[in-house]
Amino acid sequence: LLIYSALSGYTTQSIERQFENKGYADFKKSLTEVIVDKLGPFQDEKKYLSQNIGNVKKILESGRKTAEKIAKKKIEEIKKKIGLFV
């Protein structure tokens, strides 16, 4: 019920009412649909990224370079403030 609630946005009480007088198989089938609906976009994105790994590597490298520049500048500022000259 907690998984169903977290992924669907429904309260556990409303889910209990929805499946009242129904079998566990009905609940499991509906839960499976909720999970697939919620996780489907993540799977699609993973597939897309896997097929475009070159672009992903370029983006990551660009981000690394940017972060490195920012970190270097910040370290230099800190060294100056604590009295270590660069």
Side-chain angles (χ1 to χ4, degrees):
L1 284 173
L2 293 176
I3 293 170
Y4 197 113
S5 176
L7 295 178
S8 69
Y10 296 116
T11 65
T12 54
Q13 294 83 8
S14 68
I15 298 166
E16 286 175 344
R17 283 192 301 274
Q18 180 182 351
F19 291 98
E20 193 173 19
N21 301 320
K22 292 184 179 179
Y24 189 61
D26 294 327
F27 173 76
K28 287 190 336 184
K29 181 180 178 187
S30 184
L31 175 61
T32 300
E33 291 171 0
V34 168
I35 292 170
V36 169
D37 287 346
K38 197 67 167 183
L39 297 182
F42 293 105
Q43 290 175 323
D44 294 343
E45 183 69 13
K46 181 183 180 287
K47 183 178 179 181
Y48 171 78
L49 292 173
S50 294
Q51 293 171 346
N52 295 286
I53 198 71
N55 290 338
V56 172
K57 287 181 179 181
K58 286 179 188 176
I59 292 167
L60 291 173
E61 180 61 20
S62 173
R64 183 195 64 77
K65 288 178 181 179
T66 301
E68 191 175 76
K69 287 177 188 176
I70 293 168
K72 186 176 181 180
K73 183 177 178 182
K74 186 56 79 175
I75 288 172
E76 288 175 7
E77 288 176 25
I78 293 169
K79 284 181 178 181
K80 287 178 184 176
K81 286 182 180 181
I82 63 172
L84 299 174
F85 298 104
V86 189

